[in-house]
Amino acid sequence: MTSTSLADATDLRPVPTEPDPLGDGTSRRRRSRFPERPLPRVAGPPTRGSAVLWRGRSEGLREQLADHTAAVGLALVDADAASEGAAGVGAACAVVTEAGVTLGSPLARDAPPLLVLTGDEEIAPEVWRVALAGQARAVLRLPRDSESLLAHLAELSRPRGSALLLGVAGGCGGAGASSLAARLAAAARADGPVVLIDADPLGGGLDLLVEAPPIRGITWQEATRLGPDDGEALRTGLPLVDDVRLLVAGEDGGPGAEALRRALSSLAPLAGTVVVDLAPSLVRPALDLLDHLVLVVPGREGAVRAAERRLRDWAPAAGRVGAVVRRDRGPSAREVVADLGLPLLGTFRDGPRGDVPLLDVRRGGADRTARELVSRLREEARR
């Protein structure tokens, strides 16, 4: 299984505060600490799902799949031979091979996530048709895609943990999603550890938005090499800014879809909150791992139209996405959400110029909206 050995732990040293740019001698930056090097991986196996359901006629592929399922602690069950009680309970995923295999009972009854395997280098059109019909997560060629199969099985077998995973995306460019994501992270600090993730490769950078000192710790360049069981090591090795762990790109490139999914699935079993500032192109890959998607929409006609287009492209599940409206001179917040067909999660106005999220936390405005929203979503998650 792909994993990364992290360096030995060292003490955390305070980062010097920076003088106020106005020159009055006061420090802008509060308590912020960075690890000199990433901390070691924390041992301990995650809790696994029970089984992978198999349907196919290729003994060679079945043997390879059996090796992979054993590596992540799963049992391999022949779906056709399984009893009705065993086939649908606790299945991490289903795997089929041949193009002629149907997806009837028991696979269709509980609809576990589907993977399609082939031993051919070129994927035949018939195999693609099976994958599309079953809404498969991936079509994998063995042994070529062995590492990808391991990653999928590890991710699918891990039950959702206690972390609250919130994605934040803009309904249009310049909506203020990054700022609200940082304020949600600040609001979540009272509920335990918080990780704030910059998943917008073309954005300005959350580290600059929150005026973080130079990043020393894990960035996306290192995070892409982490294995599915490295969540605790990932969180501990991230730079700490105002009691929030930051996963940012720094001077390197931001995440791709696979790296983002790996980071989210590794952090999901941990306690606390994960807030992800999402680029539009990365919303769809992250959706099934998030508890909620918060869409930030300015109250302008053009912004509402752009948000409608993005929602059509993402096709989020009902009940998993809501809108926060940045009040403007256009439509009211209720008109905006009525046009989008989304629940209203809150409203806010732009804060004073020069406000720094995480650092400048206010009683009202966007910070109050963030506190109320985090409290509401956490209560829903506990039900």
Side-chain angles (χ1 to χ4, degrees):
M1 183 177 300
T2 303
S3 183
T4 297
S5 297
L6 303 179
D8 293 335
T10 58
D11 293 335
L12 299 178
R13 301 191 304 176
V15 173
T17 55
E18 300 179 6
D20 187 278
L22 298 179
D24 61 4
T26 58
S27 296
R28 291 278 292 160
R29 174 59 51 199
R30 297 181 299 182
R31 52 199 182 281
S32 301
R33 300 188 300 165
F34 294 80
E36 289 293 329
R37 288 179 286 168
L39 298 183
R41 173 172 170 170
V42 177
T47 303
R48 302 294 184 184
S50 61
V52 170
L53 303 181
W54 158 263
R55 178 169 288 168
R57 293 183 292 271
S58 171
E59 285 302 317
L61 286 176
R62 189 190 186 286
E63 289 178 5
Q64 293 182 69
L65 177 61
D67 290 340
H68 287 71
T69 55
V72 297
L74 290 170
L76 183 60
V77 177
D78 291 317
D80 291 329
S83 67
E84 185 171 329
V89 177
C93 69
V95 177
V96 300
T97 55
E98 286 82 20
V101 170
T102 61
L103 302 179
S105 178
L107 295 184
R109 183 176 62 251
D110 296 305
L114 178 70
L115 299 175
V116 178
L117 300 185
T118 178
D120 300 328
E121 277 297 310
E122 297 296 326
I123 300 174
E126 295 81 7
V127 175
W128 282 119
R129 281 196 286 272
V130 168
L132 290 172
Q135 297 182 330
R137 296 171 66 102
V139 178
L140 303 171
R141 293 164 288 184
L142 291 183
R144 174 176 173 177
D145 296 328
S146 176
E147 288 294 326
S148 293
L149 176 58
L150 280 172
H152 279 288
L153 292 174
E155 178 184 318
L156 290 167
S157 65
R158 183 180 292 109
R160 290 305 308 271
S162 57
L164 177 65
L165 270 63
L166 303 179
V168 185
C172 64
S178 297
S179 177
L180 183 64
R183 296 190 186 282
L184 288 171
R189 290 179 293 199
D191 296 311
V194 183
V195 177
L196 177 58
I197 295 179
D198 186 349
D200 187 355
L202 300 181
L206 279 174
D207 50 334
L208 297 181
L209 179 67
V210 302
E211 293 190 358
I215 294 296
R216 288 181 290 170
I218 295 177
T219 64
W220 273 116
Q221 187 175 23
E222 293 81 28
T224 56
R225 300 194 296 268
L226 292 170
D229 301 334
D230 287 326
E232 186 65 42
L234 169 60
R235 186 171 68 182
T236 307
L238 293 173
L240 183 65
V241 177
D242 297 320
D243 295 327
V244 171
R245 299 283 181 182
L246 293 183
L247 177 52
V248 299
E251 298 299 321
D252 304 314
E258 184 63 26
L260 176 60
R261 289 183 62 85
R262 286 191 179 200
L264 292 179
S265 62
S266 69
L267 292 169
L270 309 181
T273 308
V274 178
V275 182
V276 193
D277 178 24
L278 287 163
S281 61
L282 290 176
V283 169
R284 183 180 285 179
L287 269 176
D288 63 327
L289 294 171
L290 299 174
D291 292 305
H292 298 277
L293 174 66
V294 178
L295 185 66
V296 184
V297 187
R300 301 192 308 268
E301 292 286 354
V304 175
R305 179 179 294 179
E308 289 175 333
R309 291 170 176 168
R310 291 186 177 186
L311 286 169
R312 283 197 298 269
D313 179 59
W314 299 333
R320 299 280 295 280
V321 58
V324 171
V325 177
R326 195 183 82 197
R327 297 197 295 274
D328 211 317
R329 297 181 180 179
S332 69
R334 296 200 177 277
E335 290 173 325
V336 169
V337 295
D339 287 343
L340 297 176
L342 297 177
L344 179 62
L345 300 180
T347 66
F348 70 98
R349 291 190 186 278
D350 290 333
R353 187 174 181 180
D355 259 15
V356 181
L358 296 187
L359 183 63
D360 301 320
V361 177
R362 300 177 180 272
R363 293 183 178 179
D367 288 300
R368 180 173 63 188
T369 297
R371 286 192 295 272
E372 293 173 351
L373 180 53
V374 167
S375 177
R376 171 181 166 184
L377 297 180
R378 189 166 291 285
E379 279 300 315
E380 291 180 5
R382 286 170 180 159
R383 291 173 190 169

